[in-house]
């Protein structure tokens, strides 16, 4: 017979199960939050924790300037009939170096592969292939992506779908995303050994009773947060502190609020930070490492970010 005393333990055990796959029932997968729960959270924390214009480093306005990025390989985005529900960002001409891959989930898990085009073009211009969830949008919400959309990107790359864009380093695939897209990136990383790192922008896990899932995250994690006016700030801070012991991790925070600087020319300071982190991690670039970990002028700290990192050799 089941006693009332045992019930909480049974519930705890149920809560601590690790599903084989992380797709779950909601956009962003098992690390994510349902829209009703998110609504309750917004009611509690205030809508001002979303959106832009709340921090000292918030851009005054979205830019209308579109460039091919500041990197050595002028980049662009395009649709590709072999992966029609996504947008591919790549250098216009195949670069002379192998390209690592970033599979990207948008804020709100919005199904709009051009929602972060300035930022993603900037990354691609440094010799990266980026595959973003959703076809080109232009409108705000065309529905939400699922973890499977990000998995489709990885499958496509692994099967050689991206070969026409240049030499692809299929052993260097990073899952990344902003807000809900960052939670989707966690879910993509979970139990999928093809993902070598995860990058989270303005987000961490919302629910404390889901933080145990971090035990199954076994590759380096990076958080780029928007300071105290970003609903993702304390969430990402907490995730960083709860990661498995010894796991390399990086955390940087700039006072922009939840919207970062993605809609500035070339993705603004978030674009610069993301590129530096990638160049450090994936190409071992010493200047980029110094920009990420250094203190004075010519570092993230010099550019007004708070930076913490651990367990890098
Ligand atoms: C940076 O750290 C200081 C000290 O902990 C804190 O007061 C400030 O809000 C942080 N800023 C950002 C942008 O995270």
């Amino acid at each position: 017979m089941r006693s009332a005393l045992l019930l909480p333990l049974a519930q705890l055990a149920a809560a601590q199960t690790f599903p084989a796959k992380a797709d779950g029932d909601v956009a962003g997968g098992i690390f994510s939050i349902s829209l009703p729960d998110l609504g309750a959270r917004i009611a509690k924390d205030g809508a001002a924790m979303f959106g832009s214009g709340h921090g000292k480093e918030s851009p005054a306005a979205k830019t209308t300037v579109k460039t091919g990025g500041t990197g050595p390989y002028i980049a662009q985005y395009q649709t590709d009939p072999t992966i029609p529900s996504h947008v591919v960002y790549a250098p216009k001409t195949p670069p002379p170096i192998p390209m690592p891959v970033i599979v990207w989930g948008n804020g709100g898990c919005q199904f709009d592969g051009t929602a972060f085009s300035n930022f993603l073009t900037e990354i691609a211009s440094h010799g990266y292939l980026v595959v973003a969830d959703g076809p080109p949008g232009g409108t705000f919400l065309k529905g939400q992506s699922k973890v499977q959309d990000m998995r489709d990107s990885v499958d496509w790359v692994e099967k050689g779908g991206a070969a026409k864009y240049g030499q692809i380093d299929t052993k260097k695939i990073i899952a990344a995303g902003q807000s809900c897209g960052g939670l989707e990136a966690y879910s993509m990383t979970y139990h999928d050994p093809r993902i070598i790192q995860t990058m989270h922008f303005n987000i961490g896990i919302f629910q404390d009773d889901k933080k145990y899932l971090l035990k199954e995250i076994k590759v380096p994690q990076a958080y780029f947060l928007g300071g105290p006016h970003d609903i993702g700030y304390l969430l990402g801070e907490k995730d960083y502190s709860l990661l498995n012991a010894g796991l390399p991790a990086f955390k940087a925070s700039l006072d922009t609020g939840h919207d970062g600087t993605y809609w500035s020319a070339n993705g603004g300071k978030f674009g610069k930070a993301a590129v530096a982190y990638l160049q450090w991690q994936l190409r071992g670039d010493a200047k980029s490492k110094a920009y990420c970990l250094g203190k004075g002028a010519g570092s993230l700290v010099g550019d007004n970010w708070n930076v913490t990192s651990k367990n890098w050799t």
Side-chain angles (χ1 to χ4, degrees), residues 18 26 60 119 155 163 170 186 225-226 232 239 266 303 311:
F18 295 102
V26 302
F119 174 72
D155 292 346
T170 57
Y186 265 141
L225 307 170
D239 286 8
N266 305 307
D303 279 350
N311 303 323

Side-chain angles (χ1 to χ4, degrees), residues 226-228 233 253-255 306:
Y233 176 59
S253 180
L254 183 71
D255 187 18
N306 287 351

Side-chain angles (χ1 to χ4, degrees), residues 101-103 150 171-177 185-186 188-190 192-200 217-224 247-250 274 277-278 280-283 312:
V101 176
I102 291 95
V103 292
M150 211 175 247
K171 294 281 176 278
K172 288 187 182 164
I173 304 180
I174 286 188
Y186 265 141
M188 179 69 221
T189 304
Y190 177 96
D192 192 326
R194 298 175 299 177
I195 305 301
I196 62 162
Q197 287 207 18
T198 328
M199 293 165 80
H200 309 277
I217 297 294
K218 295 174 178 166
V219 293
Q221 300 292 298
Y223 302 86
F224 299 85
L247 198 64
F250 182 80
Y277 180 79
L278 288 165
W280 163 34
Q281 290 296 316
L282 298 180
R283 297 206 163 99
W312 300 105

